[in-house]
Amino acid sequence: MDLFAELAAAVGAEHVLTEPDLLAGYESDWTGRFTGRALAVVRPADRDEVAAVLRACAAEGVGVVPQGGNTGLVGGGVPRGGEVVLSTARLTALGEVDRVSGQVTAGAGVRLADLRAHAAATGLDFGVDIAARDSATVGGMVATNAGGLRVVRWGPMRDQVVGVEAVLSDGRVVGSLSGLEKDSTGYDLARGLVGSEGTLAVVTAVRLRLVPALPHRAAALLGLPSTAAAVAAVGALRGPLLSAVEVCYADGVALVREHRGLPAPLPRDCPVYLLVEYAGEHDPTDELGAALAAVPDLVDTALAVDGTARRRLWAYREGHTEAVNALGVPVKLDVAVPPARAAVFETAVRAAVSAAAPGARLVLFGHLAEGNFHVNVVGAPDERAVSDAVLRAVAAEGGSISAEHGVGVAKAPWLHLTRTAAERDLYAAVKRAWDPSGILNPGVLIPR
Ligand code: 2HG
Ligand code: ZN
């Protein structure tokens, strides 16, 4: 049997897509930065079908690119050329919320917004929230160790995963969804797969920890004179109710205002803006007010308690990605430095970008509590030179070349900046042990 016949036998002919117009949506990421031809797209309905797909591809030595909501930003979920795309779109089983353990089992293809709505129906929530919540899937978020807006409160994906079920490239199934919070039986395969970017196994379902839904929120937008002042503010605002600390800059806010037709967020223009949210079982407005009073160098502030006012403030931050994209296809780098080094890094990254791409437009924003900056550069003639300059500045500050988007193909050439030769040897050995046929997401994470 040829590969197409085997794939059709595995998932049903109607779930093997080969027509160019049907493949197109799976072959490019939404920013238009990464594109490659797929041999076919297959859409298995369950774990056993995933296993059959992988066995067929391994037998032919054909690469497999797992794809969830295709919201990735590092080219890790679209083909490079000639692979089979394994879409998790039909792996959408969502188990009943287990109130006793505070956990739920979700198929890899479950969308974040659906997971959160499902949890909310029982008074719970999922700890990770990201801007792509309506499309991003649980499997992709596990693969990249997604972080997002509430890491300061609940941690990234790695902290939410209690168990995984995954299929190896030879079709064998590994992992457990029994949800044991205590299990010290050697290697933690579940968390080992978090951040593996589809290179080790195909995650088919995940056992996830849920968190209390916090119905009361208060947000504030702070205007500050500098990144150093913003970092000091994070110190003053830290506490048990702190749920988000987002940073952006005057030029980015001006861009969002222009794009969305928004008024100025504060009476006075400020170089740096910090969006802070407190959340709790009770109204946290007083606690937020008290914390704000302790913030040094505050130039201006706006407080928002009701939902409409909070959404109005969030729009200035969440509008960045869309407003940047409207300018053109950006170079996008997602990096982290120790928060105490954030101000030094900000100066360094501005210098690095203007040297590597004079005249290009740099828009910085991110999640300041984790020192996580999104470095967006529009109009750079040489993408590689910009990436190189920025990632070297990151490494010089003891940072990470990927905070929450993953390494993908975009950053694989720079892995050596923050992983030693010994560590890269271990990466390669781990890859060989899990995927000896080397078919899983080739070229991602580990340079070819
Ligand atoms: C965010 O924080 C996302 O909004 C996207 O991580 C960041 O567009 C980006 O660079
Ligand atoms: Zn982000």
Side-chain angles (χ1 to χ4, degrees), residues 73 129-131 147-149 246 317 321 334 365-367 372-374 403-405:
L73 291 166
D129 189 26
I130 61 176
L149 307 166
E246 299 293 307
R317 161 60 180 88
T321 298
D334 154 53
F365 58 100
H367 317 281
N372 178 186
F373 284 98
H374 296 308
E404 57 172 5
H405 296 170

